[in-house]
């Protein structure tokens, strides 16, 4: 299943990363992959560094990366070609977007890759990461590189020195991507500036937009459902009911919890009363998103699950059998929800302050899947209980999760 279902063309694109070490290429590749996978595009990252570590061990000194070291150069080329072979094989078996994560800093290397990729009938777009901000490089080395298996057991100052020597070797051979090499996106200082050259088509354009919004500053994202509504009490779907007494008590507890955390988040709610009522005791400005409204149950709106089962057994069975793609009559499917959440995701990526999202079960399942890189077919079943704050804090290549169940306080 692909997000591009319904669109005539088949998309098969190799996104080839380019850039010196410690320029955030892996971070970018993984974030792009997570985004595309969430949209239902069959996406995979091929990291050449992992091939090197698996095949010749992780403890290679900086001299291994010296462009004048013929053995090192041959070994690196061999690993690069192995990863490329695997990626091409994966495309042949139905892959849609492959991210080829390596430095690819010489024109000769890129030409070899491009020739093979094009010979397989695939599009190629180079994604080059350039960092002019020394602080970004330093923090990238300290936050990610020192934790690589390459430096296990090495004192941090020695590891930094070795990694800087490795970068210097690459710098000597580096040739930035030129306009005559084809389509590329050049990201400078993690989104401060972005150059898009010969970017055409739906998916590459979306990629540019995504990269424009990406940043690497860690900040937390908290997700919670609204407090219990009167419909939750009756097991009724949809509608626009108010909070129950227990739901109002949760809203009070949530406000106390947020105040105690010392964090002042941006607060996002849906347009529905139950999320706005949950946000009210926070006393913070909040923004309403129509895109955060609960899955539209169409003709089943305001029915109980038991009503649906007895009055519309075929609908009940169809949903049970394929909850991801099932669309309520005149309503939505989970896939529809995922697609309409895309602007929310882009705004979440762009935002640098902590965000508290107060929304609904189906919507939060979809957001959680994005943030935690869970497959689309898991989305309809992810547990997102009432009265629980899911606190997500970014770590190197993902998010750390803490679930805080809140007792309803005094109503
Ligand atoms: O039951 C509460 C609710 O938010 C409904 O409004 C919505 O239809 C439902 O959850 C979504 O969960 P599921 O997809 O499991 O029915």
């Amino acid at each position: 299943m692909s997000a591009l279902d319904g669109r005539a063309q088949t998309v098969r694109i190799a996104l080839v990363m380019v850039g010196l070490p410690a320029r955030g290429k892996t971070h970018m590749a993984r974030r792009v992959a997570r985004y595309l996978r969430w949209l239902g595009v069959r996406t995979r990252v091929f990291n050449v560094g992992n091939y090197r570590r698996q095949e010749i061990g992780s403890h290679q000194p900086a001299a291994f990366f010296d462009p004048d070291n013929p053995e090192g150069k041959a070994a690196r080329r061999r690993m690069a070609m192995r990863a490329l072979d695997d990626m091409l094989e994966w495309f042949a078996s139905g892959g849609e977007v492959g991210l080829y994560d390596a430095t690819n800093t010489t024109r000769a290397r890129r030409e070899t890759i491009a020739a093979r990729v094009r010979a397989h009938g695939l599009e190629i777009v180079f994604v080059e990461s350039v960092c002019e901000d020394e602080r970004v490089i330093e923090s990238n080395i300290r936050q990610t590189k020192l934790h690589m298996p390459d430096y296990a057991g090495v004192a941090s100052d020695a590891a930094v020195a070795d990694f800087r020597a490795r970068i210097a070797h690459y710098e000597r051979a580096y040739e930035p991507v030129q306009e005559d090499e084809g389509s590329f996106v050049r990201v400078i200082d993690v989104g401060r500036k972005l150059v898009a050259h010969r970017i055409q088509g739906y998916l590459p354009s979306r990629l540019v937009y995504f990269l424009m919004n990406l940043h690497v500053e860690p900040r937390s994202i908290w997700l919670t459902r609204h407090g219990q509504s009167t419909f939750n009490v009756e097991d009724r779907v949809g509608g626009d009911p108010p909070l129950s007494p227990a739901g109002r008590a949760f809203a009070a507890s949530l406000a106390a919890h947020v105040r105690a955390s010392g964090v002042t988040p941006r607060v996002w709610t849906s347009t529905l009363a139950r999320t706005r009522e949950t946000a009210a005791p926070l006393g913070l400005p909040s923004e309403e998103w129509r895109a955060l409204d609960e899955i539209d149950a169409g003709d089943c709106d305001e029915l109980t699950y038991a009503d649906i089962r007895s009055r519309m057994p075929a609908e009940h069975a169809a949903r049970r059998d394929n909850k991801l793609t099932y669309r309520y009559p005149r309503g939505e499917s989970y896939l529809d929800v995922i697609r309409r959440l895309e602007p929310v995701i882009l705004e979440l990526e762009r935002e640098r302050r902590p965000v508290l999202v107060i929304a609904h079960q189906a919507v939060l399942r979809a957001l959680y899947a994005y943030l935690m890189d869970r497959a689309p077919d898991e989305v309809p079943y992810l547990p997102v209980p009432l009265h629980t704050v899911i606190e997500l804090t970014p770590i190197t290549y993902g998010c750390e999760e803490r679930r805080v169940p809140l007792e309803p306080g005094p109503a």
Side-chain angles (χ1 to χ4, degrees):
M1 185 271 314
S2 159
L4 304 165
D5 281 349
R7 279 167 224 282
Q9 84 277 30
T10 318
V11 193
R12 295 190 327 143
I13 306 177
L15 299 176
V16 175
M17 307 305 294
V18 177
L20 294 168
R23 265 58 183 180
K25 295 184 299 300
T26 298
H27 177 79
M28 227 178 252
R30 290 189 183 208
R31 295 286 280 271
V32 167
R34 184 177 82 175
Y35 167 67
L36 294 178
R37 267 199 291 267
W38 181 75
L39 287 170
V41 180
R42 276 181 292 265
T43 309
R44 190 183 291 178
V45 179
F46 295 81
N47 177 289
V48 175
N50 289 341
Y51 281 73
R52 169 175 55 76
R53 283 182 276 275
Q54 268 161 27
E55 295 187 27
I56 54 177
S58 45
H59 292 283
Q60 300 301 330
F64 175 80
F65 301 93
D66 184 339
D68 298 326
N69 167 357
E71 279 154 40
K73 202 171 167 183
R76 286 192 290 120
R77 189 187 153 84
R78 207 170 54 243
M79 301 312 139
M81 291 306 119
R82 262 183 213 158
L84 185 60
D85 290 343
D86 284 357
M87 181 168 84
L88 294 173
E89 204 177 300
W90 173 79
F91 271 115
S93 69
E96 292 178 306
V97 176
L99 286 120
Y100 185 73
D101 181 16
T103 51
N104 302 318
T105 37
T106 64
R107 186 172 172 127
R109 171 65 59 82
R110 292 193 295 272
E111 279 172 357
T112 308
I113 296 166
R116 294 202 54 204
V117 164
R118 292 193 183 116
H120 279 72
L122 309 168
E123 272 182 59
I124 179 166
V125 177
F126 294 110
V127 180
E128 183 173 37
S129 178
V130 177
C131 265
E132 290 161 1
D133 185 341
E134 190 48 42
R135 284 167 312 176
V136 175
I137 300 169
E138 181 70 20
S139 107
N140 198 346
I141 295 177
R142 295 206 172 264
Q143 279 175 25
T144 64
K145 304 299 172 188
L146 297 193
H147 306 294
M148 294 199 303
D150 301 31
Y151 294 115
V154 179
S156 60
D157 286 348
V160 171
D162 183 84
F163 201 81
R164 289 214 171 263
R166 187 192 292 194
I167 295 176
H169 285 312
Y170 277 99
E171 269 167 346
R172 281 195 291 134
Y174 183 26
E175 299 161 296
V177 180
Q178 299 296 309
E179 294 201 349
D180 64 351
E181 290 185 56
S183 305
F184 69 83
V185 187
R186 176 174 295 129
V187 183
I188 301 163
D189 290 340
V190 219
R192 182 175 62 77
K193 184 167 157 188
L194 196 130
V195 178
H197 175 71
R198 290 180 56 188
I199 294 297
Q200 283 150 6
Y202 176 71
L203 206 136
S205 313
R206 250 154 110 158
L207 170 77
V208 170
Y209 192 58
F210 180 77
L211 290 172
M212 270 166 67
N213 287 292
L214 208 59
H215 67 79
V216 287
E217 278 160 43
R219 51 71 220 244
S220 46
I221 296 170
W222 289 11
L223 308 176
T224 181
R225 285 173 70 183
H226 52 80
Q228 184 194 57
S229 72
T230 54
F231 273 24
N232 291 140
V233 177
E234 297 164 7
D235 212 20
R236 223 171 262 290
V237 304
D240 192 9
L243 295 183
S244 71
R248 286 197 298 275
F250 167 74
S253 300
L254 176 66
H257 177 66
V258 171
R259 258 177 237 127
S261 75
V263 174
T264 309
R266 272 186 79 180
V267 179
W268 295 356
T269 68
S270 74
T271 64
L272 298 169
R274 53 199 188 275
T275 62
R276 289 187 285 114
E277 286 177 24
T278 305
L282 291 163
L284 296 171
S286 67
E287 291 151 68
E288 282 177 29
W289 286 78
R290 183 100 163 81
L292 286 174
D293 283 2
E294 183 53 309
I295 188 168
D296 180 353
D299 292 346
C300 297
D301 196 49
E302 305 205 351
L303 298 182
T304 66
Y305 285 103
D307 290 337
I308 300 171
R309 201 167 41 240
S310 62
R311 293 191 215 163
M312 308 164 95
E315 296 299 330
H316 167 77
R319 187 162 204 261
R320 185 199 53 210
D321 295 345
N322 204 340
K323 205 174 168 190
L324 178 66
T325 56
Y326 169 83
R327 180 178 280 145
Y328 279 110
R330 289 196 279 177
E332 286 180 305
S333 68
Y334 267 90
L335 270 189
D336 295 330
V337 171
I338 291 175
R339 285 179 198 150
R340 77 155 135 97
L341 279 170
E342 207 191 345
V344 178
I345 292 298
L346 291 168
E347 187 61 17
L348 264 185
E349 289 294 1
R350 202 179 68 78
E351 178 57 61
R352 284 157 202 259
R353 284 167 292 172
V355 181
L356 167 63
V357 182
I358 304 175
H360 307 265
Q361 178 156 250
V363 163
L364 291 174
R365 281 173 171 155
L367 283 183
Y368 177 90
Y370 172 75
L371 293 164
M372 299 304 282
D373 202 6
R374 306 288 286 265
D377 54 5
E378 288 180 62
V379 171
Y381 310 100
L382 292 169
V384 180
L386 281 174
H387 299 182
T388 304
V389 186
I390 302 176
E391 302 182 354
L392 304 176
T393 311
I395 45 171
T396 309
Y397 292 129
C399 281
E400 201 167 67
E401 171 174 349
R402 191 165 84 106
R403 286 186 175 229
V404 185
L406 292 181
E407 292 296 325

